[in-house]
Amino acid sequence: MLDANLKQQLQTYLQNLKRPVELLVSADDAPKSLEIIRLADDIASLSALVTVKRVTSQRTPSMQVISPDTGSNISFAGLPMGHEFTSLVLALLHTGGHPIKITAEQIAQIASLQGQFKFETYVSLSCQNCPDVVQAINMMAAINPNITNVMIDGALFQEEVTERNIMAVPSVYLNGEIFAQGRISLAEMLNRLDSGAEARQAEALSEKAPYEVLVIGGGPAGASAAIYAARKGLRTGVLADKFGGQVSETVGIENFISVKATEGPKLVANLEAHVREYDVEIMDNQKAVSLKQDGLYQVELANGAVLKSKTVLLATGARWREMNVPGEKEYRGKGVAYCPHCDGPLFKGKRVAVIGGGNSGIEAAIDLANIVEHVTVLEFDSKLRADDVLQRKAASMGNITIITQAMTTDVVGDGQRVTGLNYTDRATNESHHVALAGIFVQIGLVPNSEWLRGTIEMTARGEIIVDNHGQTSLPGVFAAGDVTNSAYKQIIIAMGSGATASLGAFDYLIRNS
């Protein structure tokens, strides 16, 4: 099952096991079952502390990772390969006693949770966001035996997906009820499970001493800014809704100079590791709601906390643009999706639409065409805006239909899931209906700047206007990355602008201290 190179790497990891690990495998004669048996046997052959037992469980094929010593139980329904292989490796290590790399406060908080928490996490193996959620819950399960988690491959267990009307991943159920859909951090989960956590967190944040540079946003621009500020010896904090931002939802990155190819989650992990090499306070899972000045700048958070700083650097990035048509919000996660790599496998053999004819839209159509029955691309303009090479590839595929001058007017559904959409032909003004199961929206980005309206000068599109030092209309407030009026929205440009704005803040502090 595992090639020689992967076995060698895994054997090195398994040397970190400190206590026995049992793999309980439920399998039949189906091909996936045979693969999971071989996988379990391969793992057991690499460490004397790992044993395999055959069992009958609720889902087949599946593998439970059990600690006989602590009673922890982490399960994988389906073959945990692709993006989820790392989740399996970490489950083995954490079950086997290898230290879990989260804060001591979080470990204590997880250990103190009372009650029974049975998590079920539906994923697709091509989803780059799913492993973060699976691994966060698995860590909780490794710490507290009252918490269990099973990763479920939605493409393999289609009957469950249909029964529960799951049309987006990751979808997390707790004790049989929906708990979360989409990416969610460990801190967010703990806030939901521990009712007093948010208030304690807000109090602790408000007690922090003022910063010299407070970076708001943890994407490439924010990470770059934090590193440059810390290297100047400035007291630096990073406030982020989620570290990595939009990059964490990007699969293939091939234009990051000096790195031929990488993936968004891997780049985000490297960014965070680099920032943590410096004396930078990272405050994750926090959202800023207002910016005021009273001597120092004051940033109020959604939980009521207030942080103070001599300078502020805004790097809040951008998010997927929505169509803003009737039915879109109602059916979000029920057929309306924004990440074809994450949710595409849930629409295997079905008909879907892609809204948008730019590079991201045509790339999505090409990827989906390998999974679904048919893809209809709807482009508002009279021609596609995607690169010629992508247009030629799409045209060569037999199950992609491209419609230009199409204005989507509404999303149609049966109350439970999407059944189609309506659009108007802008050339003839005629209305048309397309029957389908899913709609993937790929029409660009919107800057995350609404909370600053009326506070700072912006363009009509909501982009923060900066000068060549990265300074905004407020002295001492700087901005960088996709939230600004930069001409191009690229990772490498965001990093450069983060460095520029950070150096601008340093220069401001020197001249105004």
Side-chain angles (χ1 to χ4, degrees):
M1 180 64 195
L2 301 177
D3 61 34
N5 183 48
L6 204 52
K7 279 186 178 181
Q8 185 176 4
Q9 292 181 44
L10 185 54
Q11 186 172 34
T12 301
Y13 289 133
L14 294 181
Q15 289 174 3
N16 294 302
L17 296 180
K18 296 176 175 59
R19 58 182 178 235
V21 175
E22 289 185 355
L23 303 181
L24 308 185
V25 178
S26 177
D28 52 25
D29 296 329
K32 288 294 181 185
S33 286
L34 299 178
E35 288 184 55
I36 207 167
I37 292 170
R38 290 200 299 272
L39 175 61
D41 289 342
D42 281 352
I43 294 170
S45 72
L46 302 175
S47 173
L49 288 174
V50 180
T51 57
V52 179
K53 294 182 180 179
R54 293 290 295 274
V55 298
T56 301
S57 68
Q58 177 185 352
R59 300 178 180 90
T60 298
S62 67
M63 178 194 300
Q64 298 177 59
V65 182
I66 302 288
S67 170
D69 292 355
T70 68
S72 67
N73 186 330
I74 298 167
S75 302
F76 297 88
L79 193 66
M81 298 301 289
H83 289 301
E84 292 298 346
F85 184 67
T86 301
S87 301
L88 172 61
V89 174
L90 289 173
L92 291 165
L93 293 174
H94 295 156
T95 300
H98 187 61
I100 297 175
K101 293 182 179 179
I102 57 177
T103 66
E105 291 79 9
Q106 287 177 320
I107 291 175
Q109 187 179 5
I110 293 165
S112 66
L113 291 173
Q114 301 295 313
Q116 295 295 319
F117 303 90
K118 180 183 176 183
F119 284 98
E120 299 167 291
T121 309
Y122 291 85
V123 307
S124 65
L125 299 183
S126 61
C127 169
Q128 71 272 19
N129 291 322
C130 294
D132 289 344
V133 177
V134 172
Q135 290 162 25
I137 304 175
N138 284 353
M139 285 191 289
M140 292 196 291
I143 294 167
N144 188 331
N146 294 323
I147 301 172
T148 62
N149 185 40
V150 53
M151 179 220 81
I152 305 165
D153 179 2
L156 192 60
F157 293 90
Q158 280 283 334
E159 288 185 8
E160 286 189 45
V161 167
T162 301
E163 182 181 345
R164 282 182 156 170
N165 198 32
I166 295 170
M167 306 192 76
V169 290
S171 285
V172 181
Y173 282 74
L174 173 58
N175 297 335
E177 301 293 331
I178 188 71
F179 176 75
Q181 192 173 73
R183 183 166 178 158
I184 181 172
S185 68
L186 175 62
E188 287 177 284
M189 285 187 270
L190 288 175
N191 282 345
R192 294 189 190 184
L193 297 173
D194 181 357
S195 58
E198 191 171 31
R200 294 195 303 272
Q201 198 174 65
E203 184 179 0
L205 288 170
S206 293
E207 292 175 353
K208 289 185 178 292
Y211 296 96
E212 290 176 289
V213 177
L214 177 60
V215 180
I216 304 178
S224 174
I227 289 169
Y228 268 74
R231 286 176 63 86
K232 291 294 186 183
L234 302 174
R235 174 167 160 73
T236 305
V238 174
L239 183 78
D241 190 9
K242 62 176 182 180
F243 203 94
Q246 193 76 9
V247 175
S248 60
E249 299 177 11
T250 304
V251 179
I253 300 172
E254 298 178 348
N255 57 356
F256 189 65
I257 310 306
S258 83
V259 179
K260 288 184 179 180
T262 188
E263 295 179 344
K266 182 183 291 187
L267 179 58
V268 168
N270 289 339
L271 283 174
E272 185 169 0
H274 196 174
V275 173
R276 291 188 184 278
E277 287 289 316
Y278 294 89
D279 187 16
V280 175
E281 288 192 40
I282 297 178
M283 295 159 281
D284 214 349
N285 188 37
Q286 301 297 332
K287 189 173 184 178
V289 295
S290 73
L291 174 65
K292 299 176 183 177
Q293 187 179 25
D294 183 12
L296 298 172
Y297 278 104
Q298 300 186 11
V299 178
E300 183 182 354
L301 312 187
N303 61 12
V306 176
L307 297 173
K308 298 179 180 180
S309 184
K310 292 181 180 179
T311 65
V312 174
L313 200 154
L314 305 166
T316 48
R319 64 187 183 277
W320 294 116
R321 184 181 297 278
E322 298 179 351
M323 296 183 291
N324 291 317
V325 300
E328 180 180 16
K329 282 185 167 51
E330 180 184 353
Y331 289 103
R332 184 168 187 166
K334 299 177 181 178
V336 175
Y338 301 84
C339 179
H341 303 288
C342 302
D343 300 331
L346 299 177
F347 296 87
K348 183 178 180 180
K350 298 177 181 178
R351 301 179 72 86
V352 302
V354 171
I355 311 300
N359 283 346
S360 60
I362 300 303
E363 286 174 356
I366 293 168
D367 288 343
L368 289 166
N370 293 313
I371 303 170
V372 304
E373 178 188 344
H374 186 270
V375 183
T376 300
V377 177
L378 300 179
E379 165 56 42
F380 184 84
D381 204 349
S382 59
K383 60 182 180 181
L384 299 181
R385 292 166 286 110
D387 294 342
D388 287 343
V389 63
L390 294 175
Q391 293 191 42
R392 289 195 298 271
K393 176 64 175 175
S396 71
M397 304 183 78
N399 61 340
I400 297 178
T401 299
I402 295 173
I403 304 173
T404 57
Q405 298 202 73
M407 181 176 69
T408 305
T409 56
D410 59 302
V411 174
V412 181
D414 60 8
Q416 297 295 317
R417 60 181 63 201
V418 166
T419 59
L421 64 75
N422 297 324
Y423 75 91
T424 298
D425 185 325
R426 296 175 57 237
T428 64
N429 207 33
E430 294 178 347
S431 296
H432 300 273
H433 176 78
V434 181
L436 40 78
I439 301 168
F440 291 85
V441 184
Q442 301 284 290
I443 53 175
L445 301 171
V446 178
N448 294 316
S449 61
E450 292 90 343
W451 63 286
L452 293 163
R453 288 195 182 279
T455 303
I456 225 161
E457 188 178 354
M458 303 181 190
T459 67
R461 296 179 58 192
E463 297 169 322
I464 298 172
I465 297 172
V466 295
D467 63 17
N468 58 359
H469 290 264
Q471 187 164 239
T472 70
S473 57
L474 288 178
V477 176
F478 296 78
D482 288 1
V483 74
T484 71
N485 61 330
S486 62
Y488 303 103
K489 315 300 183 184
Q490 297 289 314
I491 294 169
I492 197 165
I493 292 173
M495 285 186 173
S497 69
T500 297
S502 189
L503 293 173
F506 176 67
D507 184 67
Y508 174 86
L509 288 168
I510 290 174
R511 297 172 186 278
N512 293 277
S513 61

